[in-house]
């Protein structure tokens, strides 16, 4: 099970992993916490969808997410609490984070219970979300981490919400991550390439990246690179894709990769860096 904040996060951060396990026959569930209503729109012809104009981006992004899931082979997708239950909060420090109904302002008990119900229904062996920084600091990513971390434990507690299904303990909980070494390699390749995207001066200018020593799992899903690219292209309002790079609305280039990295938040740790998120798991 993958718990992501907005449509497109699943494809950018974990798309190749999702496609790999789906192709291998694993049951892959995607839970998305908002519709991404506050996203910045890249194509000029769709600019009217933005929150400060027609405010119609959320429903449009449902269609983008459907197309991305189809590209990844993922057939089980849910919105936390139902589509539109919590609105995209926007970036930290903006008025949208104070809006009633945004995910940043979600009642913890309601959000936790909504995810616990899904966990108990699906009974995943492995759950993937973000770290406590929300990968790069977006309020909805931080909230997704908090809700998932609590729900991971609550779902296994027989005393919690007994009407929400039979208790279930997932074996492992992971956070998405990008090692600094991968960012350094990508930046070097970007600077040497003929690409429409811009390059930062240093990886220190990026709001994400962790020391290599923090990486506990590395999934090489290179065979699924085309599926990941197709899924990212499905999110055309948010992502410009020019392989081997892509950029969001800030036009800062990032390397496209189907080798995806994770850190273990809970569960048994294998020695060294795992190459399979199901390492040391079993049916319980």
């Amino acid at each position: 099970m993958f718990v992501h904040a907005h449509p497109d996060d699943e494809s950018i951060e974990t798309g190749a992993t999702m496609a790999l396990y789906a192709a291998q026959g694993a049951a892959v569930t995607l839970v998305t916490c908002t519709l991404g209503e506050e996203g910045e729109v890249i194509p000029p012809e769709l600019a009217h969808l933005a929150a400060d104009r027609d405010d119609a981006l959320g429903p449009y992004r449902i269609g983008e997410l459907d197309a991305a899931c189809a590209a990844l082979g993922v057939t089980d997708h849910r919105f936390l609490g139902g589509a539109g239950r919590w609105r995209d909060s926007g970036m930290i420090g903006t008025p949208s984070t104070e809006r009633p109904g945004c995910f940043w302002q979600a009642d913890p008990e309601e959000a936790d219970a909504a995810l616990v119900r899904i966990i108990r229904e699906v009974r995943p062996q492995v759950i993937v979300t973000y770290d406590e920084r929300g990968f790069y600091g977006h309020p909805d990513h931080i909230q997704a981490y908090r809700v998932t971390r609590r729900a991971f434990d609550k779902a296994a507690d027989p005393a919690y919400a007994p009407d929400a299904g039979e208790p279930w303990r997932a074996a492992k909980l992971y956070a998405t991550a990008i090692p600094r070494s991968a960012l350094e390699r990508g930046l070097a390749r970007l600077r040497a390439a003929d690409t429409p995207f811009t390059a930062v001066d240093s990886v220190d200018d990026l709001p994400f990246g962790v020391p290599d020593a923090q990486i506990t799992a590395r999934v090489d899903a290179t065979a699924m690179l085309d599926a990941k690219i197709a899924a990212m292209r499905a999110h055309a309002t948010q992502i410009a894709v020019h392989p081997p790079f892509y950029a969001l609305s800030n036009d800062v280039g990032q390397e496209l990769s189907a080798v995806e990295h994770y850190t273990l938040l809970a569960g048994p740790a294998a020695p060294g860096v795992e190459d399979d998120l199901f390492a040391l798991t079993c049916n319980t």
Side-chain angles (χ1 to χ4, degrees), residues 7-29:
D8 79 3
D9 292 325
E10 81 296 327
S11 299
I12 295 170
E13 299 178 43
T14 60
T17 302
M18 295 170 71
L20 177 66
Y21 286 125
Q24 292 177 350
V28 176
T29 295

Side-chain angles (χ1 to χ4, degrees), residues 232-264:
M232 292 174 66
R233 280 181 166 150
H235 292 289
T237 62
Q238 306 299 301
I239 312 173
V241 181
H242 295 281
F245 305 103
Y246 73 94
L248 304 180
S249 60
N250 60 9
D251 206 40
V252 173
Q254 299 290 322
E255 187 176 31
L256 272 165
S257 176
V259 178
E260 296 169 342
H261 300 83
Y262 303 89
T263 57
L264 185 66

Side-chain angles (χ1 to χ4, degrees), residues 80 86 103 106-116 143 147 150-151:
L80 186 67
W86 287 288
F103 193 47
D107 175 71
E109 184 56 37
E110 182 184 356
D112 293 357
L115 188 54
V116 165
Q143 187 76 295
V147 171
R150 293 190 301 259

Side-chain angles (χ1 to χ4, degrees), residues 22-23 29 33-34 67 97 115 123 130 136 143 160-161 170 180 183 189 215 220 265 273:
T29 295
C33 299
T34 78
T97 60
L115 188 54
R123 302 169 77 83
Y130 312 111
Y136 75 104
Q143 187 76 295
Y160 179 79
R180 284 182 59 89
L183 293 176
R189 291 167 181 163
I215 299 298
D220 187 344
L265 300 178
V273 177

Side-chain angles (χ1 to χ4, degrees), residues 158-175:
Y160 179 79
D163 60 340
E166 292 295 319
W168 176 257
R169 166 68 72 180
K172 305 178 84 170
L173 176 64
Y174 286 99

